Amino acid sequence: DNIQYPTILATSLCVLNVGSGRCGSLNPCCLSHSNLIAAAAGVSSCDYQFGRDVYLPTMSMSRVFERSIQLCILVHGGCISFVNDTLLKAMNICKPTVVSFSGDKIQELAEELIQNALKSNFFLRIAYDFAFSVAAQAKEGITELPWIVRTLIIEPFRAKAGGRLKLIISTCSYLEPRVQHALRTMLQIPVVQMYGVTETGGVVSIQKVDDDYVGNVGAPTACCEVRVRDFVPAHQRVADDEPGEILIRGPN
């Protein structure tokens, strides 16, 4: 009863993250409570309705984004599942609803699903081709997917990834547009890309879950501002022969 606990403020140190950068040197990152809360709020800018989700982590906790999304999951009543196994096996054990992978890991997931399809017999492969064409057209036309396609083709593919997946977030590295499009078609769920995991504390920008375009990282999140300097006079793009610079600020 006589212990005097220090007063915890929004600016008090919450986490000291230390990870190795791309050059191998240690990069310390001091996060206050407000830093971490703002970074977690930035994850919600994708407009996914977080709730009682199951999240499968695949990245080191030295990345601020990993701490941010886990906090975001826990705050909304979800849970974190830790499984030490290969990607698809881990997903089938914990059956996550939300995952965040590097672009390389997402490509690995897409290739495993595609290889499973290619191992099927000739007639089933024809059915897959037809079903995925219908699924792609339904997504582009914002129409409902036919029941028979969803039941016989899409649901079995979703079952290979645990059966409950609702959102895939690409982090850390570039996501190939063809991979993003393929997973969106095969699983019929949002696959969004984000930016800022390596460069800043948490998230700078993230795609909305209803953004059907590929090859972009979305708009700035609710928790930060972004400015691009050294534009050409038309204010459309950075000149090819001149350096450009991205400036970011915010509570994250």
Side-chain angles (χ1 to χ4, degrees):
D1 292 339
N2 296 325
I3 297 176
Q4 297 296 315
Y5 293 102
T7 303
I8 298 177
L9 305 174
T11 53
S12 300
L13 179 65
C14 179
V15 173
L16 175 61
N17 266 23
V18 179
S20 59
R22 292 180 180 174
C23 298
S25 57
L26 291 178
N27 295 324
C29 178
C30 300
L31 300 172
S32 68
H33 292 276
S34 60
N35 291 153
L36 200 55
I37 290 169
V43 179
S44 301
S45 296
C46 68
D47 286 348
Y48 173 75
Q49 297 301 309
F50 288 96
R52 297 191 63 82
D53 288 292
V54 177
Y55 174 71
L56 174 66
T58 60
M59 290 185 292
S60 166
M61 289 291 278
S62 64
R63 291 192 176 274
V64 179
F65 170 74
E66 188 58 40
R67 290 189 182 277
S68 305
I69 190 168
Q70 289 193 26
L71 177 59
C72 184
I73 294 289
L74 293 173
V75 162
H76 287 89
C79 60
I80 316 297
S81 178
F82 296 94
V83 181
N84 185 22
D85 213 321
T86 60
L87 188 57
L88 274 184
K89 284 184 179 179
M91 295 178 74
N92 277 281
I93 290 171
C94 72
K95 302 186 184 304
T97 57
V98 178
V99 294
S100 62
F101 298 143
S102 66
D104 297 336
K105 280 283 187 184
I106 291 182
Q107 184 166 348
E108 178 186 327
L109 173 62
E111 287 176 353
E112 285 197 48
L113 292 174
I114 291 171
Q115 286 302 316
N116 281 335
L118 292 177
K119 291 176 184 176
S120 307
N121 62 57
F122 174 75
F123 296 103
L124 195 53
R125 289 204 302 272
I126 292 178
Y128 283 148
D129 288 341
F130 174 74
F132 290 142
S133 296
V134 172
Q137 291 173 13
K139 194 163 185 62
E140 290 173 7
I142 319 178
T143 57
E144 189 174 350
L145 192 64
W147 172 85
I148 191 169
V149 173
R150 179 176 294 279
T151 304
L152 299 182
I153 304 296
I154 301 300
E155 291 302 332
F157 263 85
R158 287 170 58 87
K160 297 178 192 301
R164 299 193 304 182
L165 206 53
K166 297 179 181 177
L167 174 66
I168 298 177
I169 301 176
S170 172
T171 67
C172 302
S173 59
Y174 178 68
L175 176 62
E176 290 283 350
R178 61 179 181 83
V179 174
Q180 188 175 12
H181 178 71
L183 277 180
R184 283 175 174 173
T185 301
M186 288 190 291
L187 301 178
Q188 290 294 295
I189 61 171
V191 180
V192 301
Q193 190 169 191
M194 55 168 293
Y195 168 74
V197 176
T198 303
E199 292 77 8
T200 67
V203 188
V204 171
S205 62
I206 188 169
Q207 282 183 296
K208 304 287 187 183
V209 291
D210 59 355
D211 183 358
D212 292 329
Y213 291 98
V214 296
N216 74 87
V217 292
T221 67
C223 67
C224 67
E225 298 174 87
V226 177
R227 178 184 176 188
V228 182
R229 284 206 314 194
D230 297 332
F231 268 33
V232 292
H235 295 286
Q236 292 182 346
R237 67 183 183 88
V238 176
D240 293 335
D241 57 346
E242 295 179 4
E245 185 175 30
I246 300 174
L247 305 178
I248 301 160
R249 71 177 179 185
N252 59 328

